[in-house]
Amino acid sequence: MKLVIIEPLGVEKEKLLALAEEKLEGKVEIVYYDTRVTDTETLIERAKDADILAFSNLPFKKEVLEHCDNLKMISVAFTGVDHVAMDYCRERGILVSNCAGYSNTAVPELVFGMVLNLYRYIIECNQAVREGKDKTGLVGQELEGKKFGIIGMGAIGTRTAQLARAFGCEVYGYNRSPRETEGVTMTDMDTLLRECDIVSLHVPLTEQTKGLIGEAQLRLMKPNAILVNTARGPVVDSQALAAALEEGRIAGAAVDVFETEPPISEEHPLLKAPRLLATPHVAFATKEALYKRAVIVFDNIACYLDGKPQNVM
């Protein structure tokens, strides 16, 4: 059996391969690539002889997978698998496992870094000091007492709610399936959008969530409200969000995810919008989270080899 780790997984090569050897106990031949590529030809060349593949959020489409005659299992080093041709995998009987849970701490912590930046003008304050200016126009707001809305009350949404409560916020939640969380007032999405000062998105990308936040939803939000998206880019209509910011219909937004992976075109509408804080898909990217992710990747493979697959999508 051949395992191909087709791209770096955010952990130093020596540490990653040592972890793989520990978890897999010599049951597979391991091939490791220390560069990330996206072109179809190179992906086919790297993957074509693999029995098992490991990668993070590389787009892996049918035109690559159909050349992988030996492929039996993919261990995706990511929570979502919308970048994988899942229909084709099911058709071929290729098992796909994900890495849910590794970023349950990292993502909520970035959410509050973003919110604090928007509320306290931290980036602008830094620039003001460097330019010899004072705090004029930079008086911020406190989180305490604000209504904090969370759309998607899974593990990450729940942890976000805990942090919001620690800041003294009133926390509201919306989830498609019924769910109760301590200290969270569950409500419908329209009410949450109307009432909350901060709205944070924590939903996967599916046919149901694509475009979940569009012009109609943004018009429900208060003029002083901010929107935070660390979920998936297509969950929000970027053109509609840019227009809402430009017209002052909401007070700000923080976006870590876009329709494609960074680097983002300088023509992207959000990059020209006022009061937009953008980060290059880093919510999950802490040293601790990436190591946790690698552990889950190899645990998934080990369980598959033992005939007890876990985290199957």
Side-chain angles (χ1 to χ4, degrees):
M1 294 273 276
K2 178 184 287 188
L3 162 63
V4 177
I5 304 170
I6 208 162
E7 62 168 337
L9 299 182
V11 177
E12 295 91 335
K13 178 180 178 180
E14 293 75 16
K15 186 181 291 187
L16 184 75
L17 293 179
L19 178 63
E21 291 289 350
E22 175 191 339
K23 293 287 184 180
L24 302 179
E25 301 176 332
K27 295 176 182 176
V28 295
E29 173 193 354
I30 299 173
V31 178
Y32 172 82
Y33 290 94
D34 59 3
T35 58
R36 178 185 170 96
V37 297
T38 57
D39 64 286
T40 299
E41 293 76 12
T42 307
L43 289 175
I44 290 171
E45 183 61 29
R46 291 184 177 187
K48 64 182 181 182
D49 296 326
D51 296 285
I52 302 170
L53 283 174
F55 54 84
S56 60
N57 60 341
L58 271 178
F60 239 82
K61 304 306 179 186
K62 179 181 177 180
E63 53 263 35
V64 176
L65 293 170
E66 63 189 359
H67 291 273
C68 303
D69 294 337
N70 300 329
L71 189 61
K72 304 170 184 65
M73 190 258 186
I74 300 173
S75 188
V76 179
F78 219 62
T79 303
V81 294
D82 48 277
H83 55 295
V84 180
M86 291 298 294
D87 288 344
Y88 182 73
C89 288
R90 294 185 184 102
E91 178 184 323
R92 279 269 309 275
I94 299 168
L95 184 144
V96 179
S97 293
N98 78 335
C99 281
Y102 76 94
S103 60
N104 289 356
T105 297
V107 174
E109 287 187 359
L110 184 70
V111 168
F112 283 89
M114 289 174 145
V115 171
L116 288 169
N117 262 288
L118 287 172
Y119 262 34
R120 298 304 302 269
Y121 301 101
I122 294 172
I123 293 173
E124 294 89 340
C125 284
N126 176 69
Q127 192 62 33
V129 171
R130 295 174 184 278
E131 294 174 357
K133 298 177 181 177
D134 62 15
K135 66 179 182 299
T136 301
L138 299 175
V139 176
Q141 301 178 75
E142 296 177 359
L143 272 168
E144 186 175 17
K146 298 298 187 295
K147 294 182 178 180
F148 197 109
I150 299 167
I151 296 177
M153 289 298 300
I156 291 177
T158 298
R159 179 58 178 158
T160 303
Q162 292 170 348
L163 294 180
R165 290 179 63 203
F167 274 103
C169 298
E170 297 179 37
V171 185
Y172 295 79
Y174 165 75
N175 206 65
R176 288 187 65 205
S177 55
R179 185 185 295 263
E180 294 298 324
T181 303
E182 182 181 357
V184 178
T185 300
M186 300 301 292
T187 186
D188 62 274
M189 192 169 78
D190 285 1
T191 299
L192 185 151
L193 291 168
R194 286 193 194 98
E195 295 293 328
C196 289
D197 304 294
I198 302 155
V199 176
S200 190
L201 305 177
H202 299 286
V203 295
L205 179 61
T206 66
E207 287 301 315
Q208 291 72 36
T209 62
K210 186 175 182 180
L212 182 70
I213 304 298
E215 182 179 0
Q217 290 73 32
L218 290 163
R219 288 190 179 278
L220 294 175
M221 295 177 67
K222 301 190 291 187
N224 69 327
I226 63 172
L227 178 72
V228 181
N229 185 13
T230 56
R232 290 291 184 271
V235 168
V236 177
D237 182 331
S238 292
Q239 292 281 0
L241 178 56
L245 291 166
E246 288 162 4
E247 295 167 16
R249 287 188 274 112
I250 64 172
V255 175
D256 183 54
V257 284
F258 300 85
E259 294 81 0
T260 59
E261 285 297 303
I264 302 301
S265 167
E266 61 183 17
E267 298 304 312
H268 193 285
L270 286 176
L271 301 188
K272 300 177 182 180
R275 292 292 286 154
L276 186 283
L277 175 64
T279 53
H281 200 180
V282 297
F284 67 94
T286 65
K287 291 181 179 180
E288 296 88 349
L290 293 177
Y291 189 79
K292 292 176 194 173
R293 183 177 76 170
V295 169
I296 299 171
V297 165
F298 298 125
D299 277 345
N300 286 344
I301 295 170
C303 287
Y304 168 75
L305 293 172
D306 289 342
K308 301 174 182 178
Q310 66 178 14
N311 298 321
V312 177
M313 300 304 289

